[in-house]
Amino acid sequence: MTRTRHSRSRSPDPEEDSKPTTSSSSSSGGGTAMRVIVPLQGVVQGRGGLVLGSVIPCALFYFLQLYLKRNRSRKPPPPSPSSSAEHLPEVPGLQRTLSRAHLSPRGPGGPAHVSGRVNAILRSGDSPDSVGEKKYLEDTYDERSNPDGVIQLGLAENKVGLDLVRNWMVENGRGVMLGDELSISGITNYQPFDGLMELKVAVAKFMSQAVEGAVSFNPSQIVLTTGASAAIEMLSFCIADAGNAFLVPTPYNPSFDCDLKWRSGVEIIPAPCRSADGFSLSVTALDRAFSQAKKRGVKVRGIVISNPSDPVGSLPNREALYSLLDFATEKNIHIICNEVFVGSTHGEGFLSMAEVAESEDFDRSRVHIVYSLSEDLSLVGFNVGVVYSFNQNVVAAAKKLVRFSSISSPTQRVLVSLLTDTRFTQNFIRISRERLRKMCMGFIEGLKQLGIECMTGSGGSYCWADMSGLIRSYSEKGELELWDKLLNTAKIKVTPGSICHCIEPGWFRFCFTALTDKDVPLVMERLQKVAETCKSRS
Amino acid sequence: MTIEIEAAPSVQLSRVADSETHGENSPYFAGWKAYDENPYNEVSNPSGVIQMGLAENQVSFDLLEEYLEKHSEASTWGKGAPGFRENALFQDYHGLITFRKAMASFMEEIRGGRAKFDPERVVLTAGATAANELLTFIIADPGDALLVPTPYYPGFDRDLRWRTGVKIVPIVCDSSNNFQITTQALEAAYELAKSMNIRVRGVLITNPSNPLGATISRSVLEDILDFTTKKNIHLVSDEIYSGSVFSPSEFVSVAEVLEAREYKGSERVHIVYSLSKDLGLPGFRVGTIYSYNDKVVTTARRMSSFTLISSQTQHLLACMLSDKKFAKKYVEINRARLRERYERIITGLRSAGIECLKGNAGLFCWMNLSPLLEKPTREGELDLWRTMLHELKLNISPGSSCHCSEPGWFRVCFANMSEHTLEVALDRIHKYMDQRRT
């Protein structure tokens, strides 16, 4: 699931040294093995286990890498007090208005220390996503006023149902916030930090509606917060300590790098999925990643997945979710499932983790769901995220943590009205899905005409496209070159697979929900020009 | 579907989840529980517990209501449908520029124009709670410490320490000089941290102070600024009560001191502000970080993605606060009403034989009940607190929960109730004091 935010500067773990091959790891040591072996395997043989002929050279290569890596100077991991530098190097490109430029490296003349996290966060400002975002903001496409501007295909700005919501707001907006007596009383004072009960009830009902009644969500298991990022971060703090790790199948939504890791100090250990399997969930990959973590002495606390998967857009089926739950039970770890309901199925077959958790005799206390209302309801300016947990201790802990990210009460009141208007919600769900379906099909077809195949998911507001045929060198570098061409020549901002930690270069995520029907042909036209120049070269 | 209750959950939670650092089991919060169970109500429960432990401002609520009734565009979507589009899709963590400008201008209004604020340096968070925690994440690593003068707001133990893993080392202040911060106390705290091998990353002050209800003088601010410069550490000034100073000339913001110094060393200084106290809108969850340090601004902005204010709320408040006439009027009237309340409670307490620290700001007073203690100890204070809670049915905050170095001081809030309720509370205190004398 994609989160909707401008100027996002998410990148793979910035402490990593630059990698020669596609990165699939944000950890040290064992990750090196993954980086080397799997791409080679992908080249040599698409399926099946390791072939001896590739094992030996891989092993040799692995040891060489390890040797080289050990002898390179390494930066220490961020939350480590003993290694934080007294003075941090100046970050290029920042304005210096009131602050003085202190050039001496140490001592009272230097600037006051900032935490290890800060550098990582500032460095992420140089990631492709940030650069692209900046360009987009400076030169935003507008049908009338700026037809040559950059078109946003990098974020799931859900404009699909925006007009529906807008009309509702115009008709009902005013009275809703101020209430019948046109008064703000009752919403100005301190409210329960985890959200008004009436809103939780309304959200639970809406979530149920969106899954067509397959699950009955319990309001007392809900904690409301300011967006999916806050919800994911909160769960990260609840179930893992700094230095622990989460297993995350790759490719994954780049915002996980921030939400799961930034402030919590928790690591992500990738479990790579491959195009040969349709990038589907692989318990084998998870198991391998778990063992590697164990070898390094890193404690794995949980698995984090998206449903539908982001960026791939596929919907894990019942079996896949069962095996995931089995695996988590066997290892005694948690599962965090980031779900999107309305925008998730314009085809068929969305299955919420909640339904699976309820249906069998699983230990549900390890299952936690994050749901972003704003993702589904085009209300991204309102930023509402839901933590839904089957573990009462996690709910209790989250209720205490949510004081740092509590939703504004007037907003809650508006949402109560919106969500309890069942005529609206039913209509909205139906129409949004229909539009998404059309959009998705149109987009996939358009790409097909250009010779670009997509992983056809029935879920999500994006396409996961294989553009490896258009890249010069089958590498992350080649991919980023294409990404740059797409941004600067075709003027479309897309998400390259490398920042989603995809181990196979050349995949790109296109979010189409920010487009209107008219925009799609324009996008295809621009893509075609780039595609032609790429093909003519090879 | 009900949640299964298991004897021992099979899957483990984190240290943060299990820790007690949220502090909800301390007396500060226990009193709230007693109140929740038996809340005072003028009509239906006149002998219930009166909540005097919650620093909420309800004295100027009518002014807000009046404004909103007259200005419907604030509560709709910016002049109808087109405005809605901008509002709804503005999910950027930079926040609406109109709102940032309005905040900057409101902060200037509060300081009588004696300091200028640049909207580009305003970072939005969902409340000051989030702002303080966020700044701590930025300026300190786990295991580092912030120096905080005592007595301090009990919530700091949670906001500054819980998820951040940062420690608080107290700057001990006492009644001998009205609990003012001294350079000696600063040095002592710093040395204490050093002796425990803990790295100090900053000083966090609240100005006006909670729980003292008093502003920090200009000369003390200068001393603190000199100290933080000398040690090359950060200074966070939590100024959330700055609009609640009874007399505007008595408040000096660290921003003014910096301006006078031509911003020398300002990159170490950060101000926290919120609308929860001054505007009485804690439910809106509006806080800001104002930093003079570019790196901190950039980082805080990105981190604020975890603690966003909805654009609808931003729009509403932007309309209200950029109405300079309204802002000015509100601040003046709010101050006057708070001052009236303060004077009423001080007089009332004095006639019952109870003295308070001389205060000039905030939603509470710092009451000295040390003469009433059986034993001049923390236990003695807690005994007295229990008496106040269970016999007088008044929930007030014991100084020990604020880490006060001297037992017997209590914080008493006066702005979260009607005038009548305040009288009832004072009456109960009178009766109790009379009873004690006989």
Side-chain angles (χ1 to χ4, degrees), chain A residues 123-171:
Chain A
R123 241 177 280 137
S124 65
D126 298 328
S127 78
D129 219 29
S130 289
V131 170
E133 201 50 40
K134 195 157 170 284
K135 205 158 169 92
Y136 165 69
L137 289 173
E138 287 165 5
D139 185 15
T140 310
Y141 167 78
D142 182 277
E143 200 189 330
R144 279 159 300 164
S145 61
N146 190 16
D148 293 324
V150 177
I151 299 182
Q152 173 69 279
L153 297 175
L155 297 173
E157 268 187 16
N158 194 355
K159 294 189 188 170
V160 169
L162 182 59
D163 59 329
L164 295 171
V165 179
R166 174 179 51 200
N167 292 338
W168 187 95
M169 290 291 184
V170 166
E171 277 166 31

Side-chain angles (χ1 to χ4, degrees), chain A residues 36-37 40 44 51-65:
Chain A
V36 178
I37 291 178
L40 282 180
V44 169
V51 175
L52 262 181
S54 54
V55 165
I56 294 169
C58 285
L60 288 176
F61 200 173
Y62 163 62
F63 286 120
L64 177 65
Q65 289 270 62

